[in-house]
Structures are given as C-alpha cells and as structure tokens.
Amino acid sequence: MKLILMGPPGAGKGTQARRIAESYGVPQLSTGDMLRAAVKAGTEVGQKAKAAMESGGLVTDEIVVGIIADRIGEADCGKGFILDGFPRTVAQAKALDAMLAERGLQIDHVIDIAADTEALVARITGRSTCAGCGEGYHAVHKKPAVAGVCDKCGGNLTTRADDNEETVRNRLSVYHQQTAPVMDHYRDGGKFRTVDGMLPMDTVYAQLCAILG
Ligand code: ADP
Ligand code: ZN
C-alpha cells in the first residue's frame, strides 16, 4: 500500500497516518517529523531547515526530496508506506513520480483530509503531543487527566514551536498557495479521494479504511 495523505496543517494527517501505519503494518513517512528530528539533532539538514520551519514557510524541495528518496529506499518501505506532509509542492510531486517510476512503483491512493481554516487555527493552537509515545492532546477537546502528562505512558506533553497563531496562519496561507495545487496534479488519475476532516477522528479513520479496503 502506497498512500499519500494530504490536507492542511491541523487536518489530522499525522494522527490518521499513525493509526493507519499501525493497523496496516506500513511505515508513516512524515517529513515534518523527520525535519524536526534533524533540527533537534543539529544535522546539516536541520540547520538548513530550521528558519523556514520556525516561520511557517516551506523547506526547500531539494532537502525534502532528498530525505524522502533516502527513506523510501529503506527495507521497511518494501511493503508500502504512508506519506504524511509530502509532497507539498507540485515540484515535489513530480520528483516523487520520477523516483517511484525508477523503482517500477506507483502511488495507490491519494486522500485529502479537508477542513475549515478557522477550525484549524483553533485546533493547532491548542494541541500538544506526548514526547514519549506520540499521543496527541488538545487544551479543549482532549485534556489529559493530569496537566502536561500523558494518560497513556506518563510522558511529558510538548508543544511545537510553530504551533502559535501567527505561524499557523502563515502555514495555512502557504498551504493554499503551494500545496493545494498538488491536488490537481493527482485529481485526474482516478486515485484521488477526499474525506471530511471536520468529522470526529474515529469517523474519519473509518472512512479512510473504507477507501483503503
Ligand atoms: P503541519 O502539517 O501541521 O504544518 P508538518 O509537521 O507536516 O506540519 O510540517 C512542519 C513544517 O516542516 C512545515 O511548516 C515546513 O516548514 C516543513 N515541511 C514539512 N514537510 C515539508 C515539505 N514536504 N516541503 C517543505 N517543507 C516541509
Ligand atoms: Zn505518551
């Protein structure tokens, strides 16, 4: 199964990708997670990516295409993969087509998780993630029993540096300008579907599973 999950920041790509990865046994390839790890580790890629990420802009196509090209060549991607946050520009989509074609592969499904802009700002500015297990929380919709502590594993909850309102609005505008056109790149192939990301998380997940079979 080779799946691209699309959608604006905060639509729930990451959460759904994690669940699908678990139940279908394929890796989740999140360029955002990989870049954050690179920034934290202080690698060359991380140093180059840091400023763009902090402002809510995009990291260069060259960097993210390089990261994905390396990652899909690893053994665990043999069964397939879920792309979460990539491709984010038409140039990235074309580079992905080329690297898959080289390996005789192609994408099976492209699913857009659609959502309303104002709802996204509210969702993102309230969210936090467990540093231990990755579980997501929200200040209004999904509070942990003890503030700052994960219900599942007792780990510390962390907030992303780019989840403040100003940066979120910039990420949304970058999404509309640069990432929305990527949908047109896939729309004609018969593999493109949309699900309503404003529905409850479990409903969205059920709809994704119905598409994936
Ligand atoms: P979200 O979807 O919530 O905005 P991500 O974790 O997917 O968050 O990405 C965080 C940041 O990482 C983006 O704002 C951008 O700076 C960078 N990034 C992630 N994926 C890409 C990509 N495919 N191309 C360019 N920049 C990216
Ligand atoms: Zn946890």
Side-chain angles (χ1 to χ4, degrees):
M1 178 177 70
K2 290 175 291 304
L3 162 68
I4 299 175
L5 267 191
M6 296 199 59
K13 295 184 296 291
T15 308
Q16 301 295 348
R18 245 158 48 91
R19 279 180 82 167
I20 298 169
E22 258 171 44
S23 43
Y24 288 77
V26 293
Q28 168 195 8
L29 312 188
S30 160
T31 42
D33 286 349
M34 294 185 233
L35 290 167
R36 276 185 290 279
V39 169
K40 205 172 166 199
T43 64
E44 197 185 330
V45 161
Q47 286 170 25
K48 287 185 184 158
K50 192 166 189 265
M53 293 178 76
E54 276 172 0
S55 69
L58 292 183
V59 174
T60 64
D61 290 337
E62 196 193 343
I63 289 179
V64 291
V65 167
I67 290 179
I68 288 295
D70 290 346
R71 186 64 186 86
I72 65 172
E74 286 176 29
D76 64 335
C77 290
K79 287 179 293 185
F81 46 78
I82 305 164
L83 289 169
D84 158 17
F86 179 94
R88 248 178 165 91
T89 64
V90 173
Q92 290 177 19
K94 289 181 176 165
L96 175 65
D97 290 346
M99 71 177 91
L100 291 177
E102 241 172 53
R103 297 174 156 88
L105 303 173
Q106 51 178 349
I107 293 295
D108 304 306
H109 301 278
V110 181
I111 308 179
D112 174 47
I113 306 180
D116 164 76
T117 301
E118 284 313 308
L120 292 172
V121 174
R123 269 192 199 178
I124 296 177
T125 52
R127 73 183 178 182
S128 57
T129 308
C130 173
C133 72
E135 183 74 4
Y137 290 88
H138 191 278
V140 178
H141 312 295
K142 190 182 166 191
K143 283 192 188 176
V146 179
V149 180
C150 178
D151 293 344
K152 280 198 168 168
C153 78
N156 288 330
L157 302 189
T158 57
T159 310
R160 272 168 51 176
D162 61 348
D163 277 355
N164 59 78
E165 178 159 357
E166 190 191 346
T167 307
V168 168
R169 292 206 183 270
N170 196 26
R171 280 154 61 198
L172 286 164
S173 112
V174 167
Y175 172 80
H176 290 298
Q177 284 167 23
Q178 306 212 53
T179 307
V182 176
M183 287 190 262
D184 296 324
H185 179 83
Y186 292 112
R187 220 181 290 273
D188 293 337
K191 296 171 184 170
F192 183 84
R193 302 285 297 272
T194 300
V195 299
D196 181 357
M198 300 309 291
L199 295 171
M201 242 162 49
D202 289 347
T203 312
V204 174
Y205 180 65
Q207 293 190 352
L208 291 171
C209 291
I211 294 171
L212 298 172

